Amino acid sequence: MTDIVFPSWPDVAPKLISVAAGRAFADTVIRQGKWVNVHTREVLPDHDIAIVAGRIAYVGPDASYCTGPDTQVIEASGRFMIPGLCDAHMHIESGMLTPAEFARAVIPHGTTSMFTDPHEIANVLGLDGVKYMHDEALMQPVNIFTQMPSCAPSAPGLETTGYEISPEDVAEAMSWPGIVGLGEMMNFPGVANADPKMLAEIAATQRAGKTVGGHYASPDLGPNFAAYVAGGPADDHEGTCEADAIARVRQGMRSMMRLGSAWYDIESQITAVTEKGLDPRSFILCTDDCHSGTLVNDGHMNRVVRHAIACGCDPIVALQMATINTATHFGLERDIGSITPGRRADVILTSDLNELPIEVVIARGQIVAKSGSIKVDCPHYDWPDSARGTVHLGHELAAKDFEVPAPEGANGVTVNVIGMVENQAPTKALKADLPVRDGLVEGEGDTMQIALVERHRATGGVTNAFVSGFGYQGKMAMASSVAHDSHHMIVVGTDREQMAMAANRLAEVGGGVTLFRDGEELALVELPIAGLMSDKPATEVAAKAQALGEAMQACGCSLNNAYMQHSLLALVVIPELRISDLGLVDVRTFQKIPVIESVT
């Protein structure tokens, strides 16, 4: 297990005191900037910051008394000095990148602290996978804190994962140096019904004095919600409207409002602060899921803060939601989240609080990025062979594996259909009348086939159903070994031959995303680590992801970031309909339902 090498406040208190008292010189001084104080919601001009041993020793009008001949001086030149940004809830795997390459991608955007839940890799590689992510996270020049995944499987009995996480795993992880809490507790029915396994995981976390992450993906704010809150989850990022945000903070939870690649849930919830006037201390900003294209082209937490400001939030309040509020929630306000003595010296220089250009990024006292260019190394973990080659189909798939047989004698059927909702995680439970040809149900119009292909145990199992909303046309199929959360393989297509080609291609390359049309591969993103991540630079992965997006558009899909929604179609803890290796799941009732409802 990797040890945290960055010294704690008490480790370096003598140095901090000596510099602050003027008995020793600072390692670095940031001179003459506007100090954005997130504790008091003030902007104080003409201030200096003195740093020693990677921590802040002094913030005040003049640090010349502790500036020596060897002190590095960074001229703020009147720019705003804001704390490094914190992402309160995120999954590194969604970027299709390893922790090292994710850090390399987001550091220039001003993200210096991340609270990551590696439950994607937990589903594929179990506790070993979590260790690999945790250990690589601790190697980085910024702060990557790990939440121990809580739900693998996310909904027991409704999906089969590669590995299962146990309360014993959670208890063990609570002793690891970089673990700050329990990852999102997605099994909200389990908590509401006092499931012993879920409560044991929560208890192990609480007894370790750490934070329990929440995930309540239901519009029901009655007794089930009350029971969930009583179970212990301390935050929630699944809210989609103002009432959701208000309900959570009134119950003492933190409302985490997300802007990811495909989740746009801030605008509809931040009115709880901007219009209703609720105390903003209980509101936190996060991304949840950002793919590499977003990170390279649009930004990370800087993008989220800018969006919150554009939605009417006061700029300093928005910054609080991405710094001190996050730090306080995880019990780390004495370590990160503000520019004050003793804290890690994570500072951004920016010339505009509204547009938030990230001009200089300082993490742990060293310049890590300037003008969008990274200035430090992000070390890679030596991933073992067991983390690669994780796509096991059992046999080569053929068009026949994707057939949906109709009841004997039927000329048409009514089927249950997963309906996409643009820019949101929930789906709609729809119905469609489809034709039957040669004894097989055929997709028609915008209703096409979706399949979940088992890839962990080589069972050869394929679950077939129907989906609408992608708008694909012609003979095509797209397959992904990223299939939250069980991470089998999701294949969506208009033609069964293309579906088989796409699935077999992913087995050949060890995982990723591919799109076939008329027998030709139009795009491929290789993700060889657990079928989830690449250890290539974000720019390379983003270029391939962009090519994938263009191929999807060429096949008729105009949805924003449709790949993210494709990858969530097996997430059996978010309503309304999902697909799993065990069948079609109605998440409103947590029951399996038939694909074919009736004969027409």
Side-chain angles (χ1 to χ4, degrees), residues 412-437:
V413 294
T414 299
V415 298
N416 287 301
V417 179
I418 303 170
M420 304 296 301
V421 181
E422 187 170 21
N423 290 331
Q424 287 195 357
T427 64
K428 292 293 185 185
L430 305 178
K431 298 186 190 303
D433 293 331
L434 295 180
V436 173
R437 287 190 282 272

Side-chain angles (χ1 to χ4, degrees), residues 151 153-159 185-193 198 215-220 224 228 238 429 485 570-578 580 582-594:
C151 297
S154 61
L158 294 177
E159 64 179 357
M185 179 50 73
M186 294 178 289
N187 187 359
F188 54 90
V191 175
N193 289 301
M198 296 300 99
H215 168 118
Y216 185 79
S218 170
D220 177 7
N224 284 332
Y228 184 74
E238 290 294 336
D485 276 336
L571 187 48
V572 292
V573 289
I574 297 183
E576 295 178 342
L577 281 192
R578 303 282 159 172
S580 89
L582 301 180
L584 191 62
V585 178
D586 187 333
V587 186
R588 297 168 298 183
T589 60
F590 282 87
Q591 299 290 325
K592 288 183 287 184
I593 62 172

Side-chain angles (χ1 to χ4, degrees), residues 93 95-99 101-102 136 380 388 525-529 531-538 540-541 544:
E93 304 99 315
M96 301 179 175
L97 305 167
T98 57
E101 290 302 329
F102 197 101
E136 184 164 295
H380 281 238
R388 303 172 187 266
V525 185
E526 299 98 330
L527 302 175
I529 298 177
L532 303 173
M533 298 177 291
S534 169
D535 49 7
K536 300 293 185 185
E540 288 185 29
V541 179
K544 292 190 174 185

Side-chain angles (χ1 to χ4, degrees), residues 216 218-230 233-257 268-273 276 278-279 282-283:
Y216 185 79
S218 170
D220 177 7
L221 295 177
N224 284 332
F225 175 63
Y228 184 74
V229 178
D235 56 60
D236 185 63
H237 57 273
E238 290 294 336
T240 59
C241 63
E242 182 186 271
D244 288 341
I246 291 174
R248 283 147 178 79
V249 299
R250 281 179 176 166
Q251 296 295 323
M253 301 178 85
R254 260 57 173 222
S255 171
M256 290 187 174
M257 301 177 293
S268 61
Q269 296 185 89
I270 204 164
T271 52
V273 173
K276 291 292 193 295
L278 270 60
D279 190 326
S282 293
F283 294 83

